[in-house]
Amino acid sequence: MEVGEIKKLDAYLKKLFDNQKMRVVPRPKKTDSVEVYLGEEFLGVLSLDDEDGDRSFNFNMAILDTDLE
């Protein structure tokens, strides 16, 4: 993903969740996805889907059962 696109995603998530602590960070050695954080807490991976010329983004967040305790 390009820097401008990452900034747009960052702004979108901050506005969507009304939280300025949301952060979208490029992944080392990966260009088709970014990492999403809330402050220092890793939330998940946001991936680019560019199939058939229709660009969309998929957010994948894993919740461990130990996180629920």
Side-chain angles (χ1 to χ4, degrees):
M1 287 184 224
E2 298 175 5
V3 173
E5 196 164 47
I6 293 171
K7 287 181 181 182
K8 286 180 183 180
L9 289 166
D10 185 77
Y12 174 76
L13 291 177
K14 285 177 179 172
K15 182 178 178 184
L16 179 67
F17 293 109
D18 192 25
N19 194 325
Q20 293 300 307
K21 292 183 179 183
M22 298 290 294
R23 295 186 301 129
V24 177
V25 180
R27 296 178 75 192
K29 303 179 185 177
K30 298 283 185 178
T31 59
D32 63 344
S33 59
V34 291
E35 295 177 347
V36 178
Y37 290 85
L38 179 58
E40 296 302 316
E41 182 75 22
F42 175 76
L43 295 180
V45 175
L46 190 62
S47 302
L48 171 64
D49 183 0
D50 197 9
E51 211 170 293
D52 300 329
D54 293 330
R55 292 174 74 86
S56 63
F57 301 90
N58 298 308
F59 181 63
N60 185 358
M61 179 178 171
I63 300 172
L64 304 175
D65 62 347
T66 57
D67 292 335
L68 301 176
E69 296 174 358

